[in-house]
Amino acid sequence: MFKAVLVALALVGASAYTPSFGRSAVRMSADSSRREFAGKLAAGAAAMGAASAPANAAYAQGAKFSIFGLLGNGDSYSEGAAYGSDQGLPVYSAYSPFQPVNDGSLSKEKSAEYIKFQKGILAESEKRLKSNVIPKAISRKAWSEVTTELSRQLYSMRKAMNSVGGDAAAAKTFYQDIEALNLACLRKKQDVAQAAYEKSVADFDKFKSTI
């Protein structure tokens, strides 16, 4: 719309330099040009004002606000929350959209469904640990492949082992084996990496027997 106003100004300016015959004709042309310019300028300003108005604002309505949910619009989101007026359960505070901590809001880590899920993660991690991916990568000195494999599915192995139970000391020994394997790969020590990998597999079997 701003471009249209500029074009209108250019046309008006150009018309001012158009040759005309007679003093009265010049005066009438100037008056007409001024009226035309004023009309186009007003229309352009109105259109630009309408285009710049917020898309979600209704006509003739002011801003909605709430004072601690007591005055004004209680359902308006003020300061990041609606002061609990839009929640089905009591909230932690007037400024929080979350309810207080209770049994229903916490994860049941020891539930049968949760344990089953973590055992599935542990089984998949064991399969990847005992595959030929890591041994082959160590034999080829492809250190980044080993460290990448340790940070994939095996990254979730520790949480799964802590969740399913078993001997904590045996689990800690396995964790230390994996850390030693990762460090050997970073230092590019092939013999140390191979020994750490073999020890990690043996120590994982020991942990698994305690579940």
Side-chain angles (χ1 to χ4, degrees):
M1 181 57 66
F2 184 70
K3 293 182 178 179
V5 173
L6 292 178
V7 173
L9 291 174
L11 293 175
V12 171
S15 63
Y17 292 96
T18 302
S20 57
F21 299 95
R23 184 175 301 175
S24 60
V26 172
R27 185 180 298 110
M28 292 177 60
S29 177
D31 294 340
S32 176
S33 298
R34 283 195 292 268
R35 286 193 298 271
E36 183 180 0
F37 169 75
K40 290 182 178 180
L41 185 62
M48 291 178 64
S52 62
N56 57 349
Y59 180 75
Q61 285 190 0
K64 294 182 179 181
F65 65 94
S66 172
I67 303 178
F68 298 105
L70 301 177
L71 301 176
N73 297 280
D75 58 347
S76 298
Y77 280 88
S78 302
E79 300 183 29
Y83 303 106
S85 62
D86 64 336
Q87 304 294 327
L89 297 174
V91 293
Y92 177 75
S93 71
Y95 295 96
S96 173
F98 305 105
Q99 58 181 312
V101 176
N102 54 61
D103 294 337
S105 63
L106 298 177
S107 172
K108 298 180 176 59
E109 295 188 355
K110 299 304 179 182
S111 65
E113 183 179 356
Y114 180 81
I115 296 298
K116 181 180 178 181
F117 175 74
Q118 293 298 331
K119 284 184 175 180
I121 294 178
L122 187 61
E124 179 63 25
S125 300
E126 178 184 6
K127 183 174 67 174
R128 299 195 185 194
L129 174 68
K130 295 181 178 180
S131 68
N132 59 1
V133 174
I134 294 179
K136 282 187 175 181
I138 294 175
S139 65
R140 294 187 292 106
K141 297 184 179 181
W143 310 117
S144 62
E145 293 184 17
V146 180
T147 55
T148 300
E149 189 66 22
L150 294 178
S151 61
R152 286 177 178 172
Q153 178 69 25
L154 295 179
Y155 186 81
S156 304
M157 198 172 190
R158 179 182 294 230
K159 181 179 180 180
M161 292 173 66
N162 292 336
S163 301
V164 300
D167 184 65
K172 183 178 180 180
T173 301
F174 172 75
Y175 302 153
Q176 292 173 344
D177 296 338
I178 295 297
E179 292 172 359
L181 172 59
N182 187 74
L183 181 61
C185 291
L186 294 176
R187 293 180 175 178
K188 301 180 180 180
K189 295 184 178 296
Q190 187 177 33
D191 295 338
V192 178
Q194 183 63 33
Y197 170 72
E198 293 175 357
K199 187 174 184 299
S200 67
V201 173
D203 288 338
F204 177 79
D205 291 336
K206 291 179 182 178
F207 165 79
K208 188 177 178 180
S209 65
T210 65
I211 300 176

Coordinates of all heavy atoms in Angstrom, one line a residue, residues 146-210:
V146 N 33.9 -46.9 17.6 CA 33.7 -47.5 18.9 C 33.0 -46.4 19.9 O 32.0 -46.7 20.5 CB 35.0 -47.9 19.6 CG1 34.8 -48.5 20.9 CG2 35.7 -49.0 18.7
T147 N 33.6 -45.2 19.9 CA 33.0 -44.2 20.8 C 31.6 -43.8 20.4 O 30.7 -43.5 21.2 CB 33.9 -43.0 20.8 OG1 34.1 -42.5 19.4 CG2 35.3 -43.3 21.4
T148 N 31.3 -43.9 19.1 CA 29.9 -43.6 18.6 C 29.0 -44.7 19.0 O 27.8 -44.4 19.5 CB 29.9 -43.4 17.1 OG1 30.8 -42.4 16.7 CG2 28.5 -43.2 16.6
E149 N 29.4 -45.9 19.0 CA 28.5 -47.0 19.4 C 28.3 -47.0 20.9 O 27.2 -47.3 21.3 CB 29.2 -48.4 19.0 CG 28.3 -49.6 19.2 CD 27.1 -49.6 18.3 OE1 27.2 -48.9 17.2 OE2 26.1 -50.3 18.6
L150 N 29.3 -46.5 21.6 CA 29.1 -46.4 23.1 C 28.1 -45.3 23.5 O 27.5 -45.3 24.5 CB 30.4 -46.2 23.8 CG 31.4 -47.3 23.7 CD1 32.7 -46.9 24.4 CD2 30.9 -48.6 24.3
S151 N 27.9 -44.3 22.6 CA 27.1 -43.2 22.9 C 25.7 -43.3 22.2 O 24.9 -42.4 22.3 CB 27.7 -41.9 22.4 OG 27.9 -41.9 21.0
R152 N 25.4 -44.5 21.6 CA 24.1 -44.7 21.0 C 23.2 -45.4 22.0 O 22.9 -44.9 23.0 CB 24.3 -45.5 19.7 CG 24.8 -44.7 18.5 CD 25.0 -45.6 17.3 NE 25.5 -44.8 16.2 CZ 25.9 -45.3 15.0 NH1 25.9 -46.6 14.8 NH2 26.4 -44.5 14.0
Q153 N 22.8 -46.6 21.6 CA 21.9 -47.4 22.5 C 22.6 -47.7 23.8 O 21.9 -47.7 24.9 CB 21.6 -48.7 21.8 CG 20.7 -49.7 22.6 CD 19.3 -49.1 22.8 OE1 18.8 -48.4 22.0 NE2 18.6 -49.6 23.9
L154 N 23.9 -47.9 23.8 CA 24.6 -48.2 25.1 C 24.6 -47.1 26.1 O 24.9 -47.2 27.2 CB 26.0 -48.7 24.8 CG 26.2 -50.0 24.0 CD1 27.7 -50.3 23.7 CD2 25.6 -51.1 24.7
Y155 N 24.3 -45.9 25.6 CA 24.2 -44.7 26.4 C 23.1 -44.9 27.5 O 23.2 -44.3 28.6 CB 24.0 -43.4 25.6 CG 24.1 -42.2 26.4 CD1 25.3 -41.6 26.7 CD2 22.9 -41.5 26.8 CE1 25.4 -40.4 27.4 CE2 23.0 -40.3 27.5 CZ 24.2 -39.8 27.8 OH 24.3 -38.6 28.6
S156 N 22.0 -45.6 27.1 CA 20.9 -45.8 28.0 C 21.0 -47.0 28.9 O 20.2 -47.4 29.6 CB 19.6 -45.9 27.2 OG 19.4 -44.8 26.3
M157 N 22.2 -47.7 28.7 CA 22.4 -49.0 29.4 C 22.5 -48.8 30.9 O 22.0 -49.6 31.7 CB 23.6 -49.7 28.9 CG 23.7 -51.2 29.2 SD 25.1 -51.9 28.3 CE 24.8 -53.6 28.6
R158 N 23.2 -47.7 31.3 CA 23.4 -47.5 32.8 C 22.0 -47.3 33.5 O 21.8 -47.9 34.6 CB 24.3 -46.3 33.0 CG 24.5 -46.0 34.4 CD 25.4 -44.7 34.6 NE 26.7 -45.0 34.1 CZ 27.9 -44.7 34.7 NH1 27.8 -44.2 36.0 NH2 29.0 -44.9 34.2
K159 N 21.2 -46.4 32.9 CA 19.9 -46.2 33.5 C 19.1 -47.5 33.6 O 18.4 -47.7 34.6 CB 19.1 -45.1 32.8 CG 17.8 -44.8 33.4 CD 17.1 -43.7 32.6 CE 15.7 -43.4 33.3 NZ 15.0 -42.3 32.5
A160 N 19.1 -48.3 32.5 CA 18.4 -49.5 32.5 C 18.9 -50.5 33.6 O 18.1 -51.1 34.3 CB 18.4 -50.2 31.2
M161 N 20.2 -50.6 33.8 CA 20.8 -51.4 34.8 C 20.4 -51.0 36.2 O 20.1 -51.8 37.1 CB 22.3 -51.5 34.6 CG 22.7 -52.2 33.3 SD 24.5 -52.1 33.0 CE 25.2 -53.1 34.4
N162 N 20.4 -49.7 36.4 CA 20.0 -49.1 37.7 C 18.5 -49.4 38.0 O 18.1 -49.4 39.2 CB 20.3 -47.6 37.8 CG 21.8 -47.4 37.8 OD1 22.6 -48.2 38.1 ND2 22.2 -46.2 37.3
S163 N 17.7 -49.5 37.0 CA 16.3 -49.6 37.2 C 15.8 -51.0 37.4 O 14.9 -51.3 38.2 CB 15.5 -49.0 35.9 OG 15.8 -47.7 35.7
V164 N 16.5 -52.0 36.8 CA 16.0 -53.4 36.9 C 16.6 -54.0 38.1 O 16.2 -55.2 38.5 CB 16.5 -54.2 35.7 CG1 15.9 -53.6 34.4 CG2 18.0 -54.3 35.5
G165 N 17.5 -53.4 38.9 CA 18.0 -54.0 40.1 C 19.3 -54.7 39.8 O 20.0 -54.4 38.9
G166 N 19.6 -55.7 40.6 CA 20.8 -56.4 40.5 C 21.9 -55.9 41.5 O 21.6 -54.9 42.2
D167 N 23.1 -56.5 41.5 CA 24.1 -56.1 42.4 C 24.7 -54.7 42.0 O 25.2 -54.6 40.8 CB 25.2 -57.2 42.4 CG 26.3 -56.9 43.4 OD1 26.0 -56.8 44.6 OD2 27.4 -56.6 43.0
A168 N 24.7 -53.8 42.9 CA 25.2 -52.4 42.5 C 26.7 -52.4 42.3 O 27.2 -51.7 41.4 CB 24.8 -51.5 43.6
A169 N 27.4 -53.3 43.1 CA 28.9 -53.3 42.9 C 29.3 -53.9 41.5 O 30.2 -53.4 40.9 CB 29.5 -54.1 44.0
A170 N 28.5 -54.9 41.1 CA 28.8 -55.5 39.8 C 28.5 -54.5 38.7 O 29.2 -54.4 37.7 CB 28.0 -56.8 39.6
A171 N 27.4 -53.8 38.9 CA 27.1 -52.7 37.9 C 28.2 -51.7 37.8 O 28.5 -51.2 36.7 CB 25.7 -52.1 38.2
K172 N 28.7 -51.2 38.9 CA 29.7 -50.2 39.0 C 31.0 -50.7 38.2 O 31.7 -49.9 37.5 CB 30.0 -49.8 40.4 CG 31.1 -48.7 40.5 CD 31.3 -48.3 42.0 CE 32.3 -47.2 42.1 NZ 32.6 -46.8 43.5
T173 N 31.3 -52.0 38.4 CA 32.5 -52.6 37.8 C 32.3 -52.5 36.3 O 33.3 -52.2 35.5 CB 32.7 -54.0 38.2 OG1 32.9 -54.0 39.6 CG2 34.0 -54.6 37.5
F174 N 31.1 -52.8 35.8 CA 30.9 -52.8 34.3 C 31.0 -51.3 33.8 O 31.5 -51.1 32.7 CB 29.5 -53.3 34.0 CG 29.1 -53.1 32.6 CD1 29.6 -53.9 31.6 CD2 28.1 -52.2 32.3 CE1 29.2 -53.7 30.3 CE2 27.7 -52.0 31.0 CZ 28.3 -52.8 30.0
Y175 N 30.5 -50.4 34.6 CA 30.5 -49.0 34.2 C 32.0 -48.6 34.0 O 32.4 -47.8 33.1 CB 29.8 -48.1 35.2 CG 28.4 -48.4 35.4 CD1 27.8 -48.0 36.6 CD2 27.6 -49.0 34.4 CE1 26.5 -48.3 36.9 CE2 26.3 -49.3 34.7 CZ 25.7 -48.9 35.9 OH 24.4 -49.2 36.1
Q176 N 32.8 -49.0 34.9 CA 34.3 -48.6 34.9 C 34.9 -49.3 33.6 O 35.8 -48.7 33.0 CB 34.9 -49.1 36.2 CG 34.5 -48.3 37.4 CD 35.1 -48.8 38.7 OE1 35.6 -49.9 38.7 NE2 35.0 -48.0 39.7
D177 N 34.5 -50.5 33.3 CA 35.0 -51.1 32.1 C 34.7 -50.3 30.8 O 35.5 -50.2 29.9 CB 34.4 -52.6 32.0 CG 34.9 -53.5 33.1 OD1 35.9 -53.2 33.7 OD2 34.2 -54.5 33.3
I178 N 33.5 -49.8 30.7 CA 33.0 -49.1 29.6 C 33.8 -47.7 29.5 O 34.2 -47.3 28.4 CB 31.5 -48.8 29.6 CG1 30.8 -50.1 29.5 CG2 31.1 -47.8 28.5 CD1 31.0 -50.8 28.2
E179 N 34.0 -47.1 30.7 CA 34.8 -45.9 30.7 C 36.3 -46.1 30.3 O 36.9 -45.3 29.6 CB 34.8 -45.3 32.1 CG 33.4 -44.8 32.5 CD 33.3 -44.4 33.9 OE1 34.3 -44.5 34.6 OE2 32.2 -43.9 34.4
A180 N 36.8 -47.3 30.7 CA 38.2 -47.6 30.3 C 38.3 -47.9 28.8 O 39.2 -47.5 28.1 CB 38.7 -48.9 31.1
L181 N 37.2 -48.5 28.3 CA 37.2 -48.8 26.8 C 37.1 -47.5 26.0 O 37.9 -47.3 25.0 CB 36.0 -49.7 26.5 CG 35.7 -49.9 25.0 CD1 36.9 -50.5 24.3 CD2 34.4 -50.7 24.8
N182 N 36.3 -46.6 26.5 CA 36.2 -45.3 25.8 C 37.5 -44.5 25.9 O 37.9 -43.9 24.9 CB 35.1 -44.5 26.4 CG 34.7 -43.2 25.7 OD1 34.2 -43.2 24.6 ND2 35.1 -42.1 26.2
L183 N 38.1 -44.5 27.0 CA 39.4 -43.8 27.2 C 40.5 -44.4 26.3 O 41.3 -43.7 25.7 CB 39.8 -43.8 28.7 CG 41.1 -43.1 29.0 CD1 41.0 -41.6 28.6 CD2 41.5 -43.3 30.5
A184 N 40.5 -45.7 26.2 CA 41.5 -46.4 25.4 C 41.4 -46.0 23.9 O 42.3 -45.9 23.2 CB 41.5 -47.9 25.6
C185 N 40.1 -45.9 23.5 CA 39.9 -45.5 22.1 C 40.3 -44.0 21.9 O 40.8 -43.7 20.8 CB 38.4 -45.7 21.8 SG 37.9 -47.4 21.7
L186 N 40.1 -43.2 22.8 CA 40.5 -41.8 22.7 C 42.0 -41.7 22.6 O 42.5 -40.8 21.9 CB 39.9 -40.9 23.8 CG 38.4 -40.8 23.9 CD1 38.0 -40.0 25.1 CD2 37.9 -40.1 22.7
R187 N 42.7 -42.5 23.4 CA 44.1 -42.5 23.4 C 44.7 -43.4 22.3 O 45.9 -43.5 22.1 CB 44.7 -43.0 24.7 CG 44.3 -42.0 25.9 CD 44.9 -42.5 27.2 NE 44.7 -41.5 28.2 CZ 45.0 -41.7 29.5 NH1 45.5 -42.9 29.9 NH2 44.8 -40.7 30.4
K188 N 43.8 -44.1 21.5 CA 44.2 -44.9 20.4 C 45.2 -46.1 20.8 O 46.2 -46.3 20.2 CB 44.8 -44.1 19.3 CG 43.9 -43.0 18.8 CD 44.6 -42.2 17.7 CE 43.6 -41.1 17.2 NZ 44.2 -40.3 16.1
K189 N 44.8 -46.7 21.9 CA 45.6 -47.9 22.4 C 44.8 -49.1 22.1 O 43.9 -49.5 22.8 CB 45.9 -47.7 23.9 CG 46.8 -46.5 24.2 CD 47.1 -46.4 25.7 CE 48.0 -45.3 26.0 NZ 49.4 -45.4 25.3
Q190 N 45.2 -49.9 21.1 CA 44.4 -51.0 20.6 C 44.4 -52.1 21.6 O 43.3 -52.7 21.9 CB 45.0 -51.5 19.3 CG 44.2 -52.6 18.6 CD 44.8 -52.9 17.3 OE1 46.0 -52.9 17.1 NE2 43.9 -53.3 16.3
D191 N 45.5 -52.5 22.2 CA 45.6 -53.6 23.1 C 44.7 -53.3 24.4 O 44.0 -54.2 24.9 CB 47.0 -53.9 23.5 CG 47.8 -54.4 22.3 OD1 47.2 -54.9 21.4 OD2 49.1 -54.3 22.4
V192 N 44.9 -52.1 24.9 CA 44.1 -51.7 26.1 C 42.6 -51.7 25.8 O 41.8 -52.2 26.6 CB 44.6 -50.4 26.6 CG1 43.8 -49.9 27.8 CG2 46.0 -50.4 26.9
A193 N 42.2 -51.2 24.6 CA 40.8 -51.2 24.2 C 40.2 -52.6 24.1 O 39.1 -52.9 24.6 CB 40.6 -50.5 22.9
Q194 N 41.0 -53.5 23.5 CA 40.5 -54.9 23.4 C 40.3 -55.6 24.7 O 39.3 -56.3 25.0 CB 41.5 -55.7 22.5 CG 41.1 -57.1 22.2 CD 39.8 -57.2 21.4 OE1 39.5 -56.3 20.6 NE2 39.0 -58.2 21.7
A195 N 41.3 -55.4 25.6 CA 41.2 -56.0 26.9 C 40.0 -55.4 27.7 O 39.3 -56.1 28.4 CB 42.5 -55.7 27.7
A196 N 39.8 -54.1 27.6 CA 38.7 -53.4 28.3 C 37.4 -53.9 27.8 O 36.4 -54.1 28.5 CB 38.8 -51.9 28.2
Y197 N 37.3 -54.1 26.5 CA 36.0 -54.6 25.9 C 35.7 -56.0 26.3 O 34.6 -56.3 26.8 CB 36.1 -54.6 24.3 CG 35.0 -55.3 23.7 CD1 33.7 -54.8 23.7 CD2 35.1 -56.6 23.1 CE1 32.6 -55.5 23.1 CE2 34.1 -57.3 22.5 CZ 32.8 -56.7 22.5 OH 31.8 -57.4 22.0
E198 N 36.7 -56.9 26.3 CA 36.5 -58.3 26.8 C 36.1 -58.3 28.2 O 35.2 -59.1 28.7 CB 37.7 -59.1 26.5 CG 38.1 -59.3 25.0 CD 39.4 -60.0 24.8 OE1 40.1 -60.3 25.8 OE2 39.7 -60.3 23.6
K199 N 36.7 -57.5 29.0 CA 36.4 -57.5 30.5 C 35.0 -56.9 30.7 O 34.2 -57.4 31.6 CB 37.4 -56.6 31.2 CG 37.2 -56.6 32.7 CD 38.3 -55.8 33.4 CE 38.3 -55.9 34.9 NZ 37.0 -55.3 35.4
S200 N 34.5 -56.0 29.9 CA 33.2 -55.4 30.0 C 32.1 -56.4 29.7 O 31.1 -56.5 30.4 CB 33.0 -54.2 29.1 OG 33.0 -54.6 27.7
V201 N 32.3 -57.3 28.7 CA 31.4 -58.3 28.4 C 31.3 -59.3 29.5 O 30.2 -59.8 29.9 CB 31.8 -59.0 27.1 CG1 30.9 -60.2 26.8 CG2 31.7 -58.0 25.9
A202 N 32.4 -59.7 30.1 CA 32.4 -60.7 31.2 C 31.8 -60.1 32.4 O 31.0 -60.8 33.1 CB 33.9 -61.1 31.5
D203 N 32.1 -58.9 32.7 CA 31.5 -58.2 33.9 C 30.0 -58.0 33.7 O 29.2 -58.0 34.7 CB 32.2 -56.9 34.2 CG 33.6 -57.2 34.8 OD1 33.8 -58.3 35.3 OD2 34.4 -56.3 34.6
F204 N 29.5 -57.7 32.5 CA 28.1 -57.6 32.3 C 27.4 -58.9 32.6 O 26.3 -58.9 33.1 CB 27.8 -57.1 30.9 CG 26.3 -57.0 30.6 CD1 25.6 -55.9 31.0 CD2 25.7 -58.0 29.9 CE1 24.2 -55.9 30.8 CE2 24.3 -57.9 29.6 CZ 23.6 -56.9 30.1
D205 N 28.0 -60.0 32.1 CA 27.3 -61.3 32.4 C 27.2 -61.6 33.9 O 26.2 -62.1 34.4 CB 28.1 -62.4 31.7 CG 28.0 -62.4 30.2 OD1 27.0 -61.8 29.7 OD2 28.9 -62.9 29.5
K206 N 28.2 -61.1 34.6 CA 28.2 -61.3 36.1 C 27.1 -60.5 36.7 O 26.3 -60.9 37.6 CB 29.5 -60.9 36.7 CG 30.7 -61.8 36.4 CD 32.0 -61.3 37.0 CE 33.2 -62.2 36.7 NZ 34.4 -61.7 37.2
F207 N 26.9 -59.2 36.2 CA 25.8 -58.4 36.7 C 24.5 -59.0 36.3 O 23.5 -59.0 37.2 CB 25.9 -57.0 36.1 CG 24.7 -56.2 36.3 CD1 24.4 -55.6 37.5 CD2 23.8 -56.0 35.2 CE1 23.2 -54.9 37.6 CE2 22.6 -55.3 35.4 CZ 22.3 -54.7 36.6
K208 N 24.3 -59.5 35.2 CA 23.1 -60.0 34.7 C 22.6 -61.2 35.5 O 21.4 -61.4 35.8 CB 23.2 -60.4 33.2 CG 21.8 -60.8 32.6 CD 22.0 -61.1 31.1 CE 20.7 -61.5 30.5 NZ 20.9 -61.9 29.0
S209 N 23.6 -62.0 36.0 CA 23.2 -63.1 36.9 C 22.7 -62.8 38.2 O 22.1 -63.6 38.9 CB 24.5 -64.0 37.0 OG 25.5 -63.3 37.8
T210 N 22.9 -61.5 38.6 CA 22.3 -61.0 39.9 C 21.0 -60.4 39.8 O 20.4 -60.0 40.9 CB 23.3 -60.0 40.5 OG1 23.4 -58.8 39.7 CG2 24.7 -60.6 40.6

